[in-house]
Amino acid sequence: MYERRNLIELRELQYFVAVAERLNVSSAAKAVHLSQPALSRQIQSLERKLSVALFERVGKRLILTAEGEDLLVHASGLLDQAQAFLNRAYGLEHGHVGLLRVAASPQTIAWLLSPAMAQFSKAHPNVSLIVSEGHNEALLEQVEHGSAHLAIASLGASSKLVARKLFTARLFAILPPGHSHPESTALSFENIAEETFLLLRRGFLTRQLFDQACAAHNIRPKILLESDSTHTLISLAMDGHGVAVVSSSAGNTREMDRAVPLVSSLCETQADVSAVWNPNRYRPASLPAFLALLEKMANPPLHEIQARRAGTEAGRLHDSL
C-alpha cells in the first residue's frame, strides 16, 4: 500500500493522459495550460510516485512504455469516473438527477399524484420517484421521520412541518339507488341518524371530518364497514348496502355523479389538503419542481362532480323537452 505522500492527484492523471494522447509534451502543455518544463516536471514527479517509467524516447519520438500503456487505460477510466461524479453532483444540486420520495392517500394518488409523476418523469427522466400510500396521520408521520420527502396531506395542528395548500377536500355522500333523499340536494348531519354508513378507517382525513361532525351533532353512526378503499365503499353503496362517505378528491370516480354534499350547521365538513414537507430534514433539489407541478395540476375533483352533474341535468332537461 502506498504511503500518504504517494497518493495521486487527479490533475497529475490529467497531465499524464494529455501527454499520452499526444505523445508530444509541447502540444500537451498547451492543452493543460502549463509551460513545457513544468509539465515535464509533473510527469517526472508522477513516475517517481509510481516507481514506474511511463514514457521513453526513441530517437526524437516519445512513446509509452508497456507500463504506461497499461496505466493509461486505468487513468482514463478514473478521470471519466471523476467527471461522472462531478456531473452527478451538479445534477443533484440542480434537481436533474437523484431520488424523490412522495406519499399520499390512495385516492389522491389516483387523481393527482400519478398524473403528476408521469409529467414530472418526462421532464426529469433521471430523477427516480418512489411513492407510498397511507391515511393522513401515517402520511404526516412519514414526513416527520424522513421516510417521505413530500406528502399530500392535511397538516392539521402540526407545528413541525411546512405546508403549501393544493386543494380543499369536502365531505360527500354516495347514496344507494332508490334512496329517499332528493338528488342534487345536500345531505345534512341533522338528518342522518338512521342511516347505515360505509366509512374509511380512522386516520383518513375524510373519517376525521365525519367523526368530528357526528360528535358535534351527538350522533353515534351505524357503521357497516370501515375500509381503506374508497372504491370498495362506493361499490357497496351502489349495491344498496348503505351511504358511503367519501371526499371530493374521489371526483374522478364515475359513480361520484350520484354524490351529494354532506354538510353541517355546527362544524366544518371540509379541510385544506397541502403539499407537506419537513424543513428540518434533507430535501432533494428536485422537490421544488415537483411541488410546482402539483400546484399546477391540483384542480379539485369537485369541479368534475359539478360538471358531470350539470351535464346530467342538461340531459334530463333535453329529454323532457
Side-chain angles (χ1 to χ4, degrees):
M1 180 179 293
Y2 290 111
E3 297 178 9
R4 184 172 180 81
R5 61 185 174 85
N6 285 332
L7 290 177
I8 306 301
E9 297 182 13
L10 284 176
R11 61 182 179 84
E12 294 178 293
L13 297 182
Q14 290 174 327
Y15 298 152
F16 165 51
V17 171
V19 176
E21 288 177 341
R22 294 164 179 80
L23 293 178
N24 185 291
V25 177
S26 179
S27 61
K30 292 178 182 178
V32 297
H33 308 291
L34 286 178
S35 66
Q36 184 172 335
L39 180 56
S40 295
R41 288 193 295 271
Q42 289 290 336
I43 296 298
Q44 291 166 5
S45 173
L46 179 60
E47 289 178 324
R48 286 194 297 271
K49 285 184 178 181
L50 298 175
S51 300
V52 167
L54 300 173
F55 300 96
E56 63 179 344
R57 286 197 172 274
V58 178
K60 294 184 177 180
R61 290 190 308 119
L62 186 68
I63 64 171
L64 281 163
T65 63
E67 294 80 3
E69 290 270 10
D70 181 84
L71 292 176
L72 175 61
V73 175
H74 297 282
S76 298
L78 286 172
L79 291 175
D80 288 343
Q81 290 180 35
Q83 187 59 55
F85 178 85
L86 293 174
N87 293 342
R88 183 79 181 180
Y90 178 88
L92 288 169
E93 178 187 3
H94 294 83
H96 300 154
V97 299
L99 177 68
L100 180 60
R101 295 187 178 93
V102 293
S105 68
Q107 61 195 34
T108 303
I109 291 174
W111 78 266
L112 175 59
L113 189 55
S114 178
M117 291 170 64
Q119 284 200 25
F120 186 81
S121 294
K122 291 179 181 178
H124 303 80
N126 295 318
V127 176
S128 298
L129 292 167
I130 295 179
V131 62
S132 58
E133 69 175 28
H135 56 63
N136 198 75
E137 293 176 6
L139 297 175
L140 295 178
E141 288 179 2
Q142 288 186 49
V143 175
E144 286 182 3
H145 298 155
S147 57
H149 299 125
L150 181 77
I152 302 175
S154 178
L155 182 58
S158 175
S159 59
K160 298 179 181 179
L161 307 177
V162 175
R164 190 174 299 176
K165 180 182 174 181
L166 296 177
F167 60 92
T168 298
R170 298 172 173 85
L171 287 187
F172 274 76
I174 305 287
L175 303 176
H179 194 278
S180 60
H181 185 77
E183 287 190 22
S184 303
T185 303
L187 179 62
S188 172
F189 271 85
E190 284 85 354
N191 301 320
I192 67 168
E194 301 304 317
E195 299 287 354
T196 298
F197 285 100
L198 306 158
L199 303 174
L200 290 170
R201 297 186 191 278
R202 285 187 169 85
F204 284 94
L205 175 61
T206 303
R207 179 61 181 273
Q208 179 183 338
L209 292 171
F210 180 82
D211 287 348
Q212 288 174 353
C214 284
H217 290 270
N218 197 29
I219 294 172
R220 181 175 292 177
K222 293 184 292 184
I223 302 173
L224 175 64
L225 175 68
E226 297 174 282
S227 174
D228 294 326
S229 169
T230 296
H231 290 283
T232 298
L233 303 180
I234 293 175
S235 295
L236 286 168
M238 297 303 294
D239 286 337
H241 296 293
V243 175
V245 177
V246 300
S247 167
S248 56
S249 61
N252 62 338
T253 305
R254 180 173 55 84
E255 290 81 4
M256 283 294 286
D257 57 9
R258 297 184 55 86
V260 297
L262 192 53
V263 299
S264 167
S265 60
L266 300 179
C267 63
E268 289 286 349
T269 57
Q270 64 183 44
D272 290 341
V273 177
S274 305
V276 180
W277 65 92
N278 191 334
N280 297 317
R281 290 195 177 274
Y282 167 75
R283 299 187 301 282
S286 56
L287 191 149
F290 191 76
L291 175 58
L293 181 59
L294 285 176
E295 290 181 301
K296 180 180 178 181
M297 298 183 65
N299 181 29
L302 176 61
H303 297 322
E304 298 178 18
I305 301 171
Q306 295 169 334
R308 280 203 301 268
R309 181 165 294 149
T312 301
E313 293 300 319
R316 288 174 181 167
L317 178 59
H318 180 272
D319 292 343
S320 66
L321 295 176

